[in-house]
Amino acid sequence: VRYTNKEYKKRLYGRFLYIRKRKRDMTFAEKQKQYADILVTLGVNVQSGQELVIRCDTAAAPFARIVTAAAYTAGAREVIVHFRDDKISRMRYEYAPTDVFTSVPEWESEGMNYYAARGAAFLSIVSEDPEAFKGVDPQKLAARNVAADEAFRPYYERMDKNELQWCVAAAASPEWARKVFPDRSEESAVAALWEAIFRAVRIGGNVQEKWTEHGESLKKRCAFLNEKQFKKLRYQNGLGTDFTVGLVENHIWTGGAEQTKTGVTFFANMPTEEVFTMPHCEQAEGVLKSSLPLSYQGSVIRNFTLRFHDGKVVEYHAEEGEETLKMILEADDGSRRLGEIALVPYNSPISQSGILFLQTLFDENAACHFALGQCYPNTMRNGEKLNREDLRAIGGNYAINHVDFMVGTADLSITGINASGDETLIFENGGWAV
Ligand code: ZN
Ligand code: ZN
């Protein structure tokens, strides 16, 4: 075939564009591979000879295989995968009697406690349908929570004492994707959700360098806030939030990578955009309005209000899912109090994506939030060395729940108040003012 000069140039240019595009765009498989690699090397940071326990839904099995391969490549001694299946779990909640949920069989708790005692790393991959357990008897879910809190205590204790590397990350599933992109075909929804996950975890190019930079910028925010040692924070916005919360003495703002006692760094959540610290669980006053729906254990709570007095929720209401909110708040005394304060600018990459993930791992990184329930002992100086009672006596909350809920809006302002009553505007119009 002969081409005219013009045609030839056109073809050549087309070829050039094709090659350039190929060079720029990673394939889906390459992105998944890079994602799996960073979960293993930055997320849990599995060490040579260490065991890795992965927990995930059967929907995430194909991705779990890629992560497993990455972990062995990184030198893991053994990768243990605990699968669960949403749909089968739902059948159990529907058909099995309540007393099935009041205890956890030993073989199941040993699956976590045994490996925690051996110093394994733990990766949890979430992919669940946000409404997988919608309408299930809250009594059964609550009973399971109580039993699990008891059964997995040795594992949680090691986690609280900074003795193990752990990470929570996500994989797209058809059930989840359909809720996030209800107008799309299943195939297109799953693809879009994967892309949103990849963007949120900064996939592409030199991803290690991007995470290092990101981690450092979070550390800078923490350093500023740690220096200030505010006594209280005051929140206000047009939605109706008007709220003041006390911080414990010697609180530590944390963000980005964490470190185990033995000096291994890890990212507990991927993505993560928050800096967070410990509220005083007896000092919260006023009204908090939710700014995003909260998906909790397979049910969604929408448009809810919490009114606090002396640190405790004394009044609550939800337009949807109030039963679930009630289940959280009535679990124990600590579940009515705060255990985490987290700051996330409204212009964070996840909130700019405009996607409502209905999955706390993502939505909590799109907005300022609090958590009801258990505090993180390492957000207070020497907190991890104190036992539950001693920590509680100085304001560190203890509860069987730890439930993040979002309050950040585009017009949120947060003012820091120090011991002498001086005020510093920290957040203005939903973003950092300092
Ligand atoms: Zn948080
Ligand atoms: Zn949290």
Side-chain angles (χ1 to χ4, degrees):
V1 191
R2 288 180 159 271
Y3 300 103
T4 64
N5 205 12
K6 203 176 163 190
E7 275 170 344
Y8 183 68
K9 272 188 179 160
K10 209 175 149 190
R11 275 185 72 91
L12 206 64
Y13 187 59
R15 181 81 196 147
F16 162 69
L17 285 181
Y18 174 69
I19 290 169
R20 198 174 68 175
K21 189 167 171 3
R22 277 290 298 268
K23 244 184 158 170
R24 209 192 299 134
D25 292 351
M26 294 166 76
T27 63
F28 177 70
E30 285 165 346
K31 288 178 190 174
Q32 271 202 331
K33 171 79 172 60
Q34 191 176 61
Y35 181 31
D37 283 341
I38 61 164
L39 291 184
V40 166
T41 57
L42 295 172
V44 286
N45 192 7
V46 71
Q47 304 290 293
S48 178
Q50 193 179 21
E51 286 151 338
L52 173 65
V53 177
I54 300 176
R55 285 176 300 158
C56 66
D57 193 83
T58 47
F63 183 60
R65 291 183 198 116
I66 300 169
V67 177
T68 300
Y72 279 123
T73 308
R77 180 182 136 83
E78 190 188 357
V79 180
I80 301 97
V81 184
H82 296 320
F83 284 111
R84 55 179 182 271
D85 185 280
D86 258 6
K87 294 188 178 79
I88 289 175
S89 304
R90 187 182 171 96
M91 290 178 213
R92 195 158 158 263
Y93 282 120
E94 280 179 343
Y95 297 109
T98 306
D99 65 299
V100 162
F101 304 95
T102 54
S103 65
V104 173
E106 208 174 323
W107 64 263
E108 194 187 336
S109 49
E110 273 301 282
M112 297 295 282
N113 298 338
Y114 169 81
Y115 288 105
R118 290 173 59 90
F122 291 83
L123 174 67
S124 183
I125 303 172
V126 297
S127 61
E128 283 78 1
D129 175 354
E131 294 181 309
F133 301 146
K134 190 178 181 174
V136 156
D137 180 2
Q139 300 268 327
K140 289 182 182 173
L141 289 165
R144 166 71 197 183
N145 287 347
V146 173
D149 181 64
E150 192 53 43
F152 298 108
R153 176 90 348 235
Y155 160 74
Y156 290 129
E157 267 169 12
R158 284 180 196 275
M159 206 165 145
D160 286 347
K161 292 199 162 86
N162 269 352
E163 286 176 7
L164 43 90
Q165 304 123 260
W166 56 279
C167 178
V168 182
S173 71
E175 289 74 16
W176 179 20
R178 230 182 280 136
K179 297 281 161 70
V180 181
F181 302 105
D183 302 332
R184 299 192 187 208
S185 71
E186 183 174 297
E187 197 185 341
S188 140
V190 171
L193 185 53
W194 269 118
E195 285 306 322
I197 294 171
F198 293 147
R199 267 196 307 278
V201 295
R202 299 175 157 73
I203 294 304
N206 192 336
V207 69
Q208 303 269 344
E209 198 177 284
K210 284 194 254 180
W211 270 90
T212 307
E213 262 172 37
H214 174 52
E216 278 165 9
S217 82
L218 293 172
K219 292 270 180 277
K220 262 187 217 156
R221 298 287 184 199
C222 294
F224 168 81
L225 293 163
N226 286 332
E227 165 80 38
K228 289 283 186 191
Q229 281 294 311
F230 291 116
K231 277 268 165 231
K232 287 185 227 166
L233 300 181
R234 190 174 64 230
Y235 288 64
Q236 277 164 325
N237 70 11
L239 205 59
T241 286
D242 191 356
F243 179 72
T244 304
V245 61
L247 307 180
V248 292
E249 235 170 280
N250 297 317
H251 60 265
I252 300 171
W253 288 90
T254 307
E258 297 183 43
Q259 215 173 48
T260 63
K261 265 185 181 166
T262 53
V264 182
T265 57
F266 64 98
F267 281 90
N269 286 351
M270 284 182 126
T272 182
E273 303 289 335
E274 62 176 345
V275 299
F276 60 100
T277 195
M278 196 189 296
H280 193 297
C281 69
E282 291 177 349
Q283 300 174 3
E285 221 56 54
V287 171
L288 279 179
K289 291 268 186 185
S290 71
S291 61
L292 288 174
L294 169 61
S295 168
Y296 178 75
Q297 294 194 342
S299 300
V300 179
I301 314 167
R302 291 175 205 270
N303 299 328
F304 58 97
T305 307
L306 303 174
R307 196 166 69 77
F308 288 80
H309 179 57
D310 286 341
K312 202 166 171 173
V313 175
V314 289
E315 209 182 304
Y316 61 91
H317 174 67
E319 280 179 20
E320 194 188 317
E322 194 170 279
E323 270 293 291
T324 307
L325 183 60
K326 186 178 172 197
M327 174 180 94
I328 296 168
L329 293 168
E330 293 190 353
D332 55 10
D333 176 77
S335 296
R336 285 193 167 229
R337 300 174 185 274
L338 298 173
E340 176 193 341
I341 300 176
L343 303 181
V344 182
Y346 199 71
N347 60 5
S348 88
I350 294 172
S351 88
Q352 284 198 322
S353 75
I355 299 168
L356 179 62
F357 286 85
L358 293 170
Q359 163 55 253
T360 300
L361 175 64
F362 289 82
D363 296 331
E364 74 165 325
N365 284 304
C368 282
H369 59 271
F370 290 93
L372 285 166
Q374 180 62 36
C375 70
Y376 289 112
N378 63 350
T379 52
M380 179 203 280
R381 203 190 308 146
N382 293 324
E384 68 273 14
K385 292 181 185 143
L386 299 177
N387 65 31
R388 231 186 245 175
E389 291 73 27
D390 292 344
L391 191 58
R392 177 65 181 77
I394 49 177
N397 197 21
Y398 166 73
I400 72 164
N401 285 316
H402 175 98
V403 184
D404 291 80
F405 63 97
M406 287 57 79
V407 300
T409 52
D411 68 341
L412 179 68
S413 74
I414 305 174
T415 307
I417 303 161
N418 71 11
S420 43
D422 299 335
E423 301 194 350
T424 310
L425 189 64
I426 311 173
F427 258 60
E428 194 179 17
N429 296 323
W432 289 100
V434 284

